[in-house]
Amino acid sequence: MEPTGDLLAALDAVLGDTSGAELQRLAARLTATYRGDALPGDVLDSPAAARAYAAYRMPATTAAVRAALHATFGPTAPLGAAPADAAGPGAVGPDAARCREPRTLLDVGGGTGGAVWAAAAVLPSLRTATVLDRSRDALALGRQLAARGPAGLVRTATWTRAVLGAELPAADLATIAYVLAELPADARRALVGQVRADTVAVVEPGTPAGHRRVLEAREVLIGRGLRVVAPCPHDLACPMDVPGDWCHFAARLPRSPRHRQAKGGTLGWEDEKFSYVVATRAAAEPEPGRIVRHPYLRKGLVELTVCARPPGISRENVSKRQGPAYRAARDAGWGDPWPPEG
Ligand SMILES: C[S@@+](CC[C@H](N)C(=O)[O-])C[C@H]1O[C@@H](n2cnc3c(N)ncnc32)[C@H](O)[C@@H]1O
């Protein structure tokens, strides 16, 4: 459970003069809008709404994007940076370097810019970030927060007002986080089809509906010739696309006192459930399998639920007698690759 950069401190500093009661009232309005069946419309339509979003949702969406990027670009992940002189186990081909070490980020529907904070924490190769959003108030607040962020990508990000539908600038990496739920189906597919990036990360809430939107985006990305690198071990049909099941993960994040106040909660942490897909132009190999439920620990036995190739979900019991495999299973978490490398 790591805070993302100094985000919580920046939120505290920038939201310092907003009363807790006001944040709670606005956050309750946001929750009701997001939980409703209708498309939410222009939610971040005032400085106060943007502040409530930042206090109430931004730490969690940032943590989810960070987890998705870590699963893709982390040291042993499919696009993990290889030593300059080695082909490495993952990406190969002419675009491999740009895919492994993206220099430009486009955050589509980026709001207050959580994905920029997340990407800065995972991808030191990034040099420029552009946040596109229709909400002036979200962009203005994002800029204010970023001014208190870590030097480099966050502080130098560009904040641009844009209504999705127009042509998008090209980038090495594009993030589309928690945006698709706000668009009608045809606009969702059009947006994902339109993004011009070598690698595209789509993150949605970890609900059945969020997973369905991720699968829709996955289909569009595969149709455009990109390869899925996380979380799926293959590009084939999702075995969790069945009634009553859905693929999702959890990112644990600390809550600051202000965050607790906006949430009306007392716990010092929360688990953000999210669904995601990352696809790339690089000829990268995804992990052979991924743990898709909390591992279940019993005496001398770890039960893992693994999504693997060929498409399927299997239950693996790893017993103490299996020595290193048992120790690896005991240390593994929901969302980790399985089996571990080596
Ligand atoms: C739930 S927020 C997510 C913000 C950010 N990506 C994050 O993960 O915290 C959805 C964002 O999408 C933006 N958005 C929704 N529809 C849009 C559209 N048609 N054009 C531009 N921005 C849009 C909203 O203004 C809002 O900032």
Side-chain angles (χ1 to χ4, degrees):
M1 179 169 68
E2 292 169 47
T4 297
D6 309 316
L7 178 59
L8 295 183
L11 283 165
D12 262 355
V14 171
L15 303 180
D17 57 353
T18 314
S19 86
E22 177 70 350
L23 278 182
Q24 257 189 43
R25 191 183 65 73
L26 289 160
R29 189 189 129 203
L30 283 182
T31 309
T33 311
Y34 286 134
R35 289 204 179 139
D37 288 334
L39 289 174
D42 195 354
V43 188
L44 306 185
D45 56 355
S46 68
R51 288 161 88 84
Y53 182 83
Y56 177 69
R57 289 297 296 146
M58 187 182 176
T61 61
T62 304
V65 176
R66 180 176 168 152
L69 294 180
H70 184 77
T72 308
F73 295 99
T76 60
L79 291 181
D85 58 346
V92 292
D95 294 339
R98 208 172 52 202
C99 293
R100 283 175 180 281
E101 299 193 318
R103 295 176 70 82
T104 56
L105 168 70
L106 178 69
D107 186 19
V108 182
T112 49
V116 179
W117 289 73
V122 177
L123 284 160
S125 60
L126 285 168
R127 292 290 169 269
T128 67
T130 303
V131 182
L132 295 186
D133 204 280
R134 70 177 168 197
S135 164
R136 281 198 178 85
D137 297 312
L139 292 168
L141 181 57
R143 191 183 289 118
Q144 253 184 297
L145 291 166
R148 294 177 178 268
L153 190 75
V154 174
R155 277 202 224 159
T156 58
T158 304
W159 305 81
T160 306
R161 182 160 190 272
V163 175
L164 302 176
E167 194 177 322
L168 297 169
D172 296 343
L173 170 66
T175 45
I176 308 175
Y178 293 81
V179 178
L180 298 180
E182 304 203 359
L183 305 175
D186 53 343
R188 292 198 295 267
R189 297 184 77 91
L191 173 65
V192 177
Q194 192 196 7
V195 175
R196 292 186 294 144
D198 294 322
T199 304
V200 181
V202 176
V203 183
E204 283 286 298
T207 59
H211 179 227
R212 273 197 304 277
R213 288 189 295 270
V214 164
L215 287 182
E216 187 182 77
R218 181 180 184 266
E219 188 184 299
V220 174
L221 293 168
I222 293 170
R224 290 180 54 198
L226 276 69
R227 280 195 80 174
V228 175
V229 271
C232 323
H234 54 74
D235 281 353
L236 303 168
C238 170
M240 294 175 95
D241 185 20
V242 291
D245 204 358
W246 70 100
C247 177
H248 64 295
F249 303 95
R252 181 155 290 189
L253 63 142
R255 284 175 169 171
S256 68
R258 171 164 305 279
H259 194 193
R260 282 206 289 276
Q261 211 173 27
K263 291 254 167 177
T266 51
L267 284 178
W269 52 269
E270 69 183 52
D271 282 331
E272 170 68 8
K273 306 273 172 58
F274 65 101
S275 293
Y276 75 100
V277 66
V278 183
T280 184
R281 292 206 176 282
E285 280 302 315
E287 305 284 3
R290 193 169 297 278
I291 299 169
V292 289
R293 301 251 187 278
H294 260 311
Y296 185 51
L297 271 70
R298 290 194 279 146
K299 201 166 185 291
L301 190 75
V302 184
E303 281 182 23
L304 300 176
T305 307
V306 179
C307 180
R309 285 176 236 155
I313 304 294
S314 62
R315 184 71 61 81
E316 288 191 26
N317 290 334
V318 187
S319 86
K320 207 166 189 168
R321 285 198 303 275
Q322 291 170 262
Y326 171 74
R327 286 190 290 281
R330 208 186 41 193
D331 294 344
W334 183 11
D336 286 347
W338 187 264
E341 217 173 76

